[in-house]
Structures are given as structure tokens and as C-alpha cells.
Amino acid sequence: MSMRKDIFDKLVLYKEKFSSRDNLKPELARCLNYLIHNGRRNGLHLNEGVRNKIKSIKKRLSELQLQFTRNLAEENSYLLLSYEDLTGMPYSFIEGLNFDPDTKKYEVTLKSHHFFPVTRKCGNPETRRIMEYYYQSRCQPQNTKILEEIIELRQQEAELLGYRNHASYIQCEKYNLPFNERLELWDFRYYTTLVEEEMYTINQDEVMEYFPLDFVTHQMLSIYEQLLNLKFSYLGNVQKWHDDVIVYRVKDGETDHLMGYIYLDLYPRPGKFGHACSIPLQAGCLDSNGRRQCAMAAMLTNFNRPKHSKPTLLDHKEVEQYFHEFGHLMHTICSKAETPLFFGTKVETDFVEAPSQMLENWVWHPEPLQYLSRHFKVLMHS
């Protein structure tokens, strides 16, 4: 439809007078709203004089954007680098470069097939620096002028459409939300989710269906049994502070020696700590008689409770958090310190998170992810 005022007016008229009568299917109703919405973004609801100005601006913007892209595509500059400058580059890469007999150096262009291999593999930091500098400076004189004109034209267009600036126009119109010119702290996760969904097609709601809590817990324990040579045993009839708490006995997988007990308090309730943490309950250090006592530690999280037809489902960030906090439990249970002063997580501050950060890394690798995940419906019918 672009700048067709006649079509826009007919669509608006149809929506106002006939769309309810025709009982449009959801897709067609959405299409109608989308076309009208885009028409307003193009200023088709405004008077002819304003529309002509917007049309002229859009035409010039299109020309500038095309010229900006063409400048980059036609840029053919290169750097002359010696063999020493290219230390660490594969022979096959150097062999493919043009050699300048006058300077005895190689021609390295700023195209991606040269830029990325050099910045990834070249062992000379100065070479990487100058490659980065000149790559980011490509077409700087001519494209800077283009960008300056684009910024000015976008401001003019936004004002003609009734917005303070281009950012307000894009955010408010694209997402139908007010935008106050700032990205606030509380907006961060929202826009991160938009990026995931729109740029990477990640739907966290669908991802969650593959991480039912009970299954993840079982598989996580199995991973730690293999990794740390431990043996976990569920204890049902033991004293605990709430019925939600799950208790496991932990033994050495090789010697069957009792190492301690872990308590998993996974669901929210009034008065409970509202975040996630690991709490040492008893240090597994040496007692006054020189005998090692059992280590005891608890993990607190606030995962959603199971619903009528669904078990508790975790998003990937929660799975990572689960592994992280469980890593603190393992740090406590596996500690061999003799005194309570240095037992478990009572280490130097800059190291206390290290074991958990290493152990949480499992949830970013394909093999353990496949082992940890199963669609909850498959489990319900198996």
C-alpha cells in the first residue's frame, strides 16, 4: 500500500462500517489492522501537504541507505602486511593473498573473508588492532555525511508524524507502547526477550516444556553422580522444616562412605527467602574427637508450583540457576577442610562462585542438554 491514500481511506472505512458485519477470520482481521497501522506510520491520515513532505523524505532516505550500502560493497582498500605481521595465520590463507613484489608484503583486504580470519587467528596483536581499526573506519568520510543527513531526515519525519524523535516513533509505533526516550533497568529483560523472539526465533514458553523440574532434578543428580563419583539416595521419612523440602543422602560412589545430606527447598511460600541461594547447615569438618562429621547444606529456590495439568516447568535460565546453586551444595558436600573456618564455600571471596560457574556450564552444551531435557507430555504418557 505504501503511500496510497485512496486505499488507506477505504480500509479505514471498511473497518469502521463493515468489518464486524463480515465477521472476519482472525488472520484477515489482523491483516486489516496491520495495513491501517502501517498507513498511519506513513502519515496517510494527515493532510496532503504533510503527506508530500513525508513522501519526499522517504524517497531521499531510500536513496541514502542504498548509497551507504553501495559504498561499503565497492570499498576495495587493503593493508600491506609482512609475513611476520601475519604470525599464526594458516599457510593456506597466506598462500591465497596477493603478494606485492615491491614491498615484499601481502595484500590483506578489509572484506569479511580476510578480516574475520585475521582477527580470529593472527597471533600478532598489533595486526589485529589495525585490522579492526581500518575495518571499522571503512568509507568513513562519505558514509559519515550520509549518516548525518539520515539522522536529520528521520528527525523531520518523526516530527511531521507527531513524535519527539525517531526513537519515539519506532518504539511507540512498532510495539504500541509508550517510550520515554530511555531504556530503564526494568525494561532490560523485556527488550532482551523481544530480541530473542524476533531475531533468534526463541520462544521461552516452548523451551520450558522440555524442562519439567522432576525430570531435570533426576538427570542433574545423575550427571553429578558420574562427574563427582557420588551416590544420591532419596530419604522420604526424615525431619525437615516444611513438607515441600526434599532430602537426599550423599555417599562416596567408590567407598560408600557417608559424606552428608542435602535439602532441596524448591517452591515459594509466604515468609521464605525470595531469591535462590545455598546455605551450609553443618560443616563436614573434624569434630572435637578428630572424627569427620556429616556435611549438611540446603538449597532454596522459588520455582513455580505444579499446575493442574502441568508439572513445574523451568525456562533455560532457571535450569542454569538450578545447576549453579546445586554447584554450591556440591562444593560444600565434597569439601575436605578440617576446620569449619575454611569448610565448603568459606573460601576467598573471588573464588566462592568459581565451582558453581564451572558446573553451571553443563547447561550450555548439547550432550548434557539433550540428557536433561524431555517434553513433559512424553514423560506423562511413558
Side-chain angles (χ1 to χ4, degrees), residues 67-68 78 163 177 190 219 254 269 282 305 307 321 354 357 363 380:
Q67 186 60 52
F68 186 97
Y78 57 85
Y163 296 92
L177 294 169
Y190 172 76
Q219 300 301 92
E254 184 176 351
R269 59 179 178 274
Q282 177 172 283
R305 291 183 177 275
K307 298 177 182 177
Q321 180 190 65
Q357 289 173 341
V363 305
M380 289 172 66

Side-chain angles (χ1 to χ4, degrees), residues 223-231 251-255 259:
I223 287 176
Y224 280 103
E225 283 182 335
Q226 298 175 54
L227 181 66
L228 302 176
N229 196 15
L230 301 174
K231 185 165 61 176
K251 290 186 175 183
D252 186 300
E254 184 176 351
T255 66
M259 298 179 67

Side-chain angles (χ1 to χ4, degrees), residues 78-220:
Y78 57 85
L79 304 178
L80 288 171
L81 300 175
S82 68
Y83 187 82
E84 290 72 23
D85 292 331
L86 295 169
T87 297
M89 297 304 298
Y91 175 75
S92 58
F93 175 85
I94 296 177
E95 190 180 32
L97 299 175
N98 290 331
F99 183 73
D100 181 33
D102 295 329
T103 62
K104 309 296 184 184
K105 293 185 177 181
Y106 297 91
E107 297 178 3
V108 181
T109 73
L110 299 175
K111 301 298 183 182
S112 60
H113 66 286
H114 283 176
F115 171 75
F116 288 108
V118 170
T119 53
R120 286 171 182 156
K121 297 181 179 180
C122 183
N124 189 324
E126 179 61 14
T127 299
R128 298 196 303 270
R129 186 191 71 79
I130 62 174
M131 283 292 291
E132 187 73 39
Y133 175 83
Y134 285 105
Y135 180 80
Q136 299 296 347
S137 303
R138 289 170 301 155
C139 308
Q140 189 176 62
Q142 60 269 48
N143 277 359
T144 297
K145 292 179 181 179
I146 290 175
L147 284 174
E148 289 171 347
E149 187 176 351
I150 286 175
I151 289 170
E152 184 177 341
L153 289 171
R154 283 179 169 177
Q155 179 66 30
Q156 293 176 19
E157 182 185 31
E159 291 175 356
L160 288 170
L161 290 167
Y163 296 92
R164 181 177 174 182
N165 52 40
H166 183 68
S168 297
Y169 164 66
I170 291 296
Q171 295 296 333
C172 186
E173 287 298 310
K174 186 171 183 180
Y175 298 116
N176 258 344
L177 294 169
F179 184 61
N180 68 352
E181 320 297 322
R182 298 174 59 188
L183 186 61
E184 304 285 2
L185 176 64
W186 50 85
D187 295 327
F188 180 77
R189 291 181 181 84
Y190 172 76
Y191 285 108
T192 298
T193 301
L194 285 182
V195 169
E196 289 178 348
E197 292 177 350
E198 295 190 6
M199 296 184 65
Y200 302 107
T201 322
I202 296 175
N203 186 324
Q204 290 292 352
D205 291 336
E206 292 181 1
V207 171
M208 290 175 70
E209 295 183 351
Y210 289 85
F211 293 112
L213 176 59
D214 289 345
F215 183 77
V216 171
T217 300
H218 181 272
Q219 300 301 92
M220 179 179 67

Side-chain angles (χ1 to χ4, degrees), residues 14 18-26 28-29:
Y14 175 81
F18 305 109
S19 61
S20 59
R21 178 203 66 185
D22 292 347
N23 193 24
L24 294 176
K25 294 179 179 179
L28 293 178

